[in-house]
Amino acid sequence: METQKKSSQPANKTLTSEEGEEEQCRADTSCAKNEKQEPSSPKQGDFSDPVYKEIAMANGAINQMNRDELRAKCAGLKLDTRGVKDVLKKRLKSYYKRQKLMHSPAANANSDVYFDYICVVDYEATCEENNPPGFLHEIIEFPMVLIDTHTLEIVDSFQEYVKPEVNPQLSEFCVKLTGITQKMVDEAQTFHQVLKRAVSWLQEKELGTKYKYTFLTDGSWDMGKFLHTQCKLSCIRYPPFARKWINIRKSYRNFYKVARAQTKLICMLENLGMEYDGRPHCGLDDSRNIARIAIHMLKDGCQLRVNECLHSGEPRSVPVSAPIEGAPAPQNPKKRN
């Protein structure tokens, strides 16, 4: 829901979080500092191994190639030839790195993926064309798209509309932006009821029990703003399973080394050589397109990891030194006292 996400400040100061309700993030949470860090711990490989010199030489050669040469090399290796120059360079570098490390002691015990499943979420919420100060965004569409990180496929999805209770009448701007009509939300159930069914859906997939999983969003707003605000309005405790997530914009920017302006949903798709599939600002369609980007990044060798969490009601960066943990098993929402 990109347009409305930019229309007001990142945090609603009229809502205060309970002491200790959100999980504390570890160590330094400075966004700029953590985004620039690279995992260079000896636990992630012995960087004195000669194989890293070979990788550096291969990277140098790739940096000298133009786009046509990059595409030709990708084609010769049977890799995807779509995408802008920076994407093609990263794709080739990741391929050669994987090949070099495959039979090297430097590879250690690293896995290609950190999670069995990634659950993509992109809420739609009430909005005005010019949101007034203190405007309360209420979730009106709850979509989830499930990625199997081993098959690199979308395997299932969940979608329900939600009845807003504080401001039940949708604005004309909101209807036009999201395609969600007044009739749809009038016939929907409350957020508490929808969240319970979303939890049941996640439990049926055995996420957090049999399989390791996490959530992924397009930016910080879905968890750090919309879900946090909605839980307050619905008198529900913020769900522990949603306290940490992957912000794909950060992952994309760091992996492909592009400017922040190139991390909007449409830009990411275009840079990867793809087109948007569906209706923009439909939560389910947005989630599917975000999932397509995530799958593309995994194929290109990106090890998507949790990079944000909710701390005292605000989204914060998770240090790259933090242990890689899956989200806890989802539990039914609990009422706040």
Side-chain angles (χ1 to χ4, degrees), residues 102-168:
M102 191 175 296
H103 304 294
S104 169
N108 206 344
N110 285 347
S111 172
D112 287 335
V113 293
Y114 296 128
F115 308 101
D116 297 306
Y117 291 94
I118 294 175
C119 190
V120 181
V121 174
D122 194 82
Y123 301 116
E124 298 302 318
T126 56
C127 55
E128 303 282 351
E129 187 166 6
N130 295 297
N131 293 320
F135 183 84
L136 299 177
H137 298 282
E138 296 178 80
I139 292 174
I140 54 175
E141 183 185 359
F142 196 132
M144 293 187 289
V145 170
L146 195 63
I147 300 170
D148 184 326
T149 62
H150 301 289
T151 64
L152 297 178
E153 295 177 331
I154 295 173
V155 292
D156 207 349
S157 62
F158 171 95
Q159 182 199 40
E160 284 206 25
Y161 296 110
V162 183
K163 178 185 291 185
E165 298 181 271
V166 176
N167 295 299

Side-chain angles (χ1 to χ4, degrees), residues 52 118-119 148 190 201 234 249-250 259-260 281 287 297 317:
Y52 286 103
I118 294 175
C119 190
D148 184 326
T190 65
W201 185 83
S234 300
R249 294 193 183 200
K250 284 185 179 180
R260 187 185 298 268
H281 305 298
S287 298
M297 292 176 66
S317 292

Side-chain angles (χ1 to χ4, degrees), residues 68-274:
D68 289 338
E69 290 170 332
L70 292 166
R71 291 187 66 191
K73 181 63 71 173
C74 285
L77 296 170
K78 297 184 179 179
L79 301 176
D80 194 335
T81 60
R82 295 176 296 173
V84 297
K85 185 177 178 180
D86 287 339
V87 167
L88 294 169
K89 284 167 60 176
K90 187 63 179 182
R91 185 171 299 145
L92 278 174
K93 289 178 181 179
S94 295
Y95 172 82
Y96 281 116
K97 183 177 180 179
R98 290 196 301 271
Q99 292 300 307
K100 294 289 185 183
L101 292 178
M102 191 175 296
H103 304 294
S104 169
N108 206 344
N110 285 347
S111 172
D112 287 335
V113 293
Y114 296 128
F115 308 101
D116 297 306
Y117 291 94
I118 294 175
C119 190
V120 181
V121 174
D122 194 82
Y123 301 116
E124 298 302 318
T126 56
C127 55
E128 303 282 351
E129 187 166 6
N130 295 297
N131 293 320
F135 183 84
L136 299 177
H137 298 282
E138 296 178 80
I139 292 174
I140 54 175
E141 183 185 359
F142 196 132
M144 293 187 289
V145 170
L146 195 63
I147 300 170
D148 184 326
T149 62
H150 301 289
T151 64
L152 297 178
E153 295 177 331
I154 295 173
V155 292
D156 207 349
S157 62
F158 171 95
Q159 182 199 40
E160 284 206 25
Y161 296 110
V162 183
K163 178 185 291 185
E165 298 181 271
V166 176
N167 295 299
Q169 189 68 33
L170 301 183
S171 69
E172 184 178 341
F173 172 78
C174 184
V175 172
K176 185 176 180 181
L177 177 70
T178 65
I180 299 172
T181 66
Q182 189 65 46
K183 185 173 185 291
M184 289 178 181
V185 295
D186 286 344
E187 294 177 350
Q189 293 190 306
T190 65
F191 178 76
H192 189 193
Q193 294 168 312
V194 172
L195 180 57
K196 286 180 66 175
R197 281 200 288 279
V199 165
S200 295
W201 185 83
L202 293 167
Q203 290 173 336
E204 288 169 5
K205 310 297 179 188
E206 299 183 275
L207 302 181
T209 50
K210 183 176 181 180
Y211 301 107
K212 191 174 181 179
Y213 80 111
T214 194
F215 285 89
L216 181 147
T217 63
D218 178 26
S220 305
W221 275 69
D222 293 278
M223 301 304 194
K225 174 71 173 180
F226 296 143
L227 183 58
H228 181 255
T229 299
Q230 185 63 63
C231 287
K232 292 286 187 178
L233 295 175
S234 300
C235 296
I236 298 171
R237 291 185 181 181
Y238 191 91
F241 62 83
R243 286 178 180 161
K244 295 182 180 180
W245 63 90
I246 299 168
N247 177 343
I248 197 170
R249 294 193 183 200
K250 284 185 179 180
S251 300
Y252 183 95
R253 183 167 75 248
N254 292 338
F255 184 67
Y256 293 116
K257 308 300 181 187
V258 299
R260 187 185 298 268
Q262 295 297 307
T263 60
K264 296 178 182 178
L265 178 55
I266 295 299
C267 290
M268 289 190 287
L269 286 167
E270 289 178 350
N271 286 344
L272 292 172
M274 298 188 288

